[in-house]
Amino acid sequence: MAPLRFSANVSWLFPELPGLPARLRAAGSSGFEAAEVGWPYEEPPEALARAAREVGLQLVLINTPPGDREKGEMGLGAVPGRQAAFRDGLEQAVLYAKALGCPRIHLMAGRVPQGADRAAVRGEMETVFLENLRHAAGVLAQENLVGLLEPINTRITDPRYFLDTPQQAAAILEKVGRPNLQLQMDIFHWQIMDGNLTGNIREFLPFVGHVQVAQVPGRGEPSSPGELNFPYLFQLLEDEGYKGFVGCEYQPRGDTVEGLSWLRSYWDKRGRPQAGQ
């Protein structure tokens, strides 16, 4: 069984550094071979690509644009009346992905509209999401890109987010039925919403294109105090044959580099994946 491949989420890690290029360089200097960015759109893609090349980093994931943050938007994929804006954002994400050599785009579902009842709008929002996902799958297929759906917990992080359980996301993926759309498994969100991580990982891993990790409930490093046993979970992912990347999407409790002792320990025990694994 090959060791897991880890990706530095530079939207979260190295917060002491001003700007994504500096964070990418820091990730490479810390031993990462891959990185991911939530929203890269405030930086020219050429600057990000140059910083990644300088330290030998592969960009593996970006998100679609969030929409109008001042109006509380957090993705547009399932938001009624925002279909045109979602498609414009998708085109921007594809341009960045191509410039960065990044093979995956998280297609953000978005939030239940302010003041709306979740149950009352669920059907309409799913219909919009399915329509947008079918469109996205076609656009992404032309560029050999993969789209990801990520459930985000509605108990702590984002109470109005539309897509909040792996079961809901898997059902939507089945309805869309496109091979280049996959599941994004953020273990932090899955634990908060549903628990049963061993069962859910085994059930849904065949459809998973990317994994992210953070401790629960504080969203710190995997080695920080919390309810998740990451050595067990990493072994489970290895045993189940996971070959994708594991994104480090957590809030460092102190200095980012010092907080990477858990990852250095993993590398010491398991080694680092060889190129092409």
Side-chain angles (χ1 to χ4, degrees):
M1 291 169 289
L4 298 173
R5 300 184 296 170
F6 289 89
S7 167
N9 190 310
V10 295
S11 296
W12 291 72
L13 302 189
F14 310 101
E16 65 276 7
L17 297 177
L20 295 176
R23 295 183 183 191
L24 288 168
R25 294 185 186 99
S29 299
S30 300
F32 285 99
E33 298 176 4
E36 55 198 71
V37 183
W39 296 307
Y41 306 107
E42 292 184 4
E43 300 273 1
E46 297 80 13
L48 298 177
R50 187 183 315 115
R53 280 197 307 270
E54 287 175 3
V55 288
L57 278 179
Q58 176 186 359
L59 270 295
V60 297
L61 176 69
I62 61 173
N63 296 345
T64 49
D68 191 334
R69 297 293 298 275
E70 293 185 0
K71 293 182 179 179
E73 291 183 328
M74 186 59 71
L76 300 171
V79 181
R82 297 288 276 152
Q83 289 93 323
F86 170 80
R87 296 183 182 200
D88 289 343
L90 175 67
E91 295 293 340
Q92 185 182 19
V94 168
L95 288 175
Y96 267 75
K98 290 170 63 178
L100 297 172
C102 177
R104 299 169 197 82
I105 299 174
H106 167 206
L107 307 171
M108 298 196 72
R111 291 169 170 159
V112 172
Q114 189 75 43
D117 177 75
R118 175 180 292 273
V121 299
R122 182 182 179 108
E124 180 186 7
M125 292 190 71
E126 181 173 303
T127 297
V128 170
F129 203 21
L130 292 171
E131 172 191 329
N132 280 333
L133 290 175
R134 292 185 180 105
H135 169 80
V139 171
L140 296 174
Q142 294 176 7
E143 306 294 345
N144 198 30
L145 298 172
V146 172
L148 300 174
L149 274 62
E150 179 189 14
I152 295 175
N153 84 80
T154 49
R155 289 182 171 154
I156 296 175
T157 301
D158 197 333
R160 289 172 37 225
Y161 204 76
F162 172 69
L163 191 69
D164 64 351
T165 68
Q167 292 82 4
Q168 180 191 9
I172 287 172
L173 285 172
E174 185 175 2
K175 290 178 182 179
V176 177
R178 303 295 173 87
N180 66 330
L181 298 186
Q182 299 175 346
L183 191 57
Q184 183 169 320
M185 177 174 70
D186 189 319
I187 287 174
F188 172 81
H189 295 305
W190 286 31
Q191 168 69 2
I192 290 170
M193 286 305 296
D194 198 55
N196 187 35
L197 285 178
T198 299
N200 282 337
I201 287 172
R202 287 176 173 159
E203 178 179 358
F204 295 113
L205 198 62
F207 317 106
V208 168
H210 192 73
V211 172
Q212 291 173 326
V213 295
Q215 185 57 275
V216 177
R219 208 163 190 179
E221 294 92 341
S223 56
S224 61
E227 59 196 61
L228 295 182
N229 180 347
F230 275 101
Y232 169 83
L233 292 171
F234 292 155
Q235 186 64 56
L236 177 63
L237 289 171
E238 289 185 27
D239 291 345
E240 294 296 314
Y242 178 64
K243 296 294 192 294
F245 285 93
V246 177
C248 301
E249 188 183 86
Y250 59 77
Q251 296 170 333
R253 294 179 300 160
D255 180 82
T256 300
V257 175
E258 291 180 4
L260 288 171
S261 58
W262 66 271
L263 182 54
R264 289 190 289 270
S265 176
Y266 177 89
W267 283 335
D268 287 343
K269 293 176 182 176
R270 293 291 290 114
R272 304 191 191 195
Q274 299 301 310
Q277 282 188 335

